[in-house]
Amino acid sequence: MLAGSIATLLSWARQAEVQAEATEAGAGGEGRPSAPLLAAYTGCLLTRRFSAAAFARRRRAMTAPDLIEAIGPVFAEFEDGTGWAR
């Protein structure tokens, strides 16, 4: 779960960097975290949230598919803005 999340997020971040450089919107980006750092942090944060949601539902009987079931609801929390506050 973690490796796949980080790989996907890194790909998205790299694409965003390339687009920003192509439109020169990336100029003056000193001080911003790098794409790999953002991907690693966000991947860890999401995986922790997936795990917490699965554990809350299944407790010690949770398995990897339970984490996959938690992806939708966890992303929904981030879309409405409540997921970042925790």
Side-chain angles (χ1 to χ4, degrees), residues 3-77:
S5 296
I6 291 174
T8 300
L9 292 163
L10 181 57
S11 172
W12 291 347
R14 290 280 189 205
Q15 289 174 2
E17 282 182 341
V18 168
Q19 288 177 345
E21 289 171 4
T23 62
E24 297 188 53
E30 296 88 25
R32 281 191 294 182
S34 66
L37 179 65
L38 287 174
Y41 175 81
T42 307
C44 291
L45 180 124
L46 287 172
T47 302
R48 181 180 170 127
R49 299 283 172 87
F50 300 154
S51 299
F55 184 79
R57 185 166 181 229
R58 298 290 211 157
R59 307 297 299 169
R60 301 250 181 243
M62 76 175 209
T63 59
D66 297 323
L67 269 70
I68 294 169
E69 288 179 16
I71 291 173
V74 169
F75 269 111
E77 290 176 9

